[in-house]
Amino acid sequence: LSLEESPLMTVPLPSGLPEPVERFYNTVYGDKIPVIETVVISGRGKLKPFMNISIPTRFVFVHNAGNDYRHYFEATFFGMPVLRVNEGYIDGESFFKSPIASIKNDPNSNQAANLTLWAEAIWFPAIWVTDSRVRWESIDENSALLYVPFGKKEENFLVRFDPETSLIDTMETMRYRDTGENRQKILWILRNEYKKSKADSCVESVGSAMWIDQGSPWAYFGVKEIFVNVDESEYILQGGYLADLQ
């Protein structure tokens, strides 16, 4: 995977956005919004996949912005890899590969993966105003609804903004957690955990993900590097490891 970035084009900030949304974009980008097509995000975090036990994790997220993504997770124990996971969402179909389980194109997982695709744009939020399929709807001075495409339908996030920083505080949506029939959607809450993150880049920001019925986050992600508009066309389709990024 080449991490050589292409020059960024910009477009004017659209008019008519809800007040907190306009404040957010003015804080992050000003009045010129970059056109972001691909993104590579890397960092470290903690996951709780089993019995609420926290496991240190390295990760790489690769996005064809607004369309596809691939995740690679490497859980470690005393610095040694103990669990490798590849998952993604390509052409509207999700997949999950690990030594424990393998899932492909499950309808519930597809809905969850599509929400993940748009939620992770918190690290490159320009896509939420440059993609014509996305729209914002006003609620009040500190919150708005974010509508994103899912096939021929839409899903939405309730987005709450910090009144002091104008940055996003939380995003909430109803998402499937489990595969199979007769499952119910569960409230999924994403939170900005690092209040001092740099507004111009969001790099070194820390976010968490929580299911409402669990009462505490099951994952923390600390972003260290973000590369935009790189050639990810081959890597996003592969099933390799972090070494592919070297």
Side-chain angles (χ1 to χ4, degrees), residues 9-123:
M9 296 176 54
T10 61
V11 296
L13 179 66
S15 59
L17 293 171
E19 180 181 348
V21 178
E22 184 174 359
R23 290 199 309 267
F24 168 70
Y25 281 101
N26 279 321
T27 300
V28 175
Y29 295 117
D31 60 358
K32 298 294 184 181
I33 308 301
V35 178
I36 296 175
E37 297 177 348
T38 63
V39 184
V40 176
I41 304 168
S42 63
R44 294 179 180 271
K46 294 182 179 180
L47 301 180
K48 298 179 181 178
F50 313 110
M51 298 181 292
N52 205 34
I53 299 173
S54 182
I55 300 177
T57 305
R58 299 191 291 171
F59 66 86
V60 176
F61 298 162
V62 181
H63 278 256
N64 175 15
N67 295 289
D68 314 294
Y69 73 78
R70 175 188 165 202
H71 289 169
Y72 173 72
F73 296 97
E74 188 172 88
T76 62
F77 185 71
F78 290 104
M80 298 297 294
V82 295
L83 178 65
R84 293 184 171 104
V85 174
N86 277 284
E87 65 174 14
Y89 185 60
I90 308 293
D91 294 331
E93 296 184 1
S94 62
F95 66 89
F96 177 90
K97 298 178 182 179
S98 80
I100 300 172
S102 180
I103 302 169
K104 183 176 177 60
N105 198 25
D106 172 78
N108 293 2
S109 298
N110 291 348
Q111 187 263 359
N114 184 74
L115 289 172
T116 298
L117 173 80
W118 292 103
E120 288 177 3
I122 184 62
W123 290 306

Side-chain angles (χ1 to χ4, degrees), residues 103 106-109 111-112 174-187 211 213:
I103 302 169
D106 172 78
N108 293 2
S109 298
Q111 187 263 359
M174 298 299 293
R175 173 184 163 174
Y176 285 112
R177 181 172 59 194
D178 303 311
T179 60
E181 298 180 355
N182 300 318
R183 300 293 188 174
Q184 298 295 318
K185 294 179 181 177
I186 303 171
L187 183 63
W211 298 105
D213 62 342

Side-chain angles (χ1 to χ4, degrees), residues 128-149:
W128 292 335
V129 289
T130 59
D131 192 310
S132 62
R133 301 169 298 166
V134 179
R135 62 187 179 92
W136 289 91
E137 184 177 295
S138 180
I139 297 179
D140 57 37
E141 62 181 2
N142 292 313
S143 59
L145 287 173
L146 172 64
Y147 287 88
V148 299

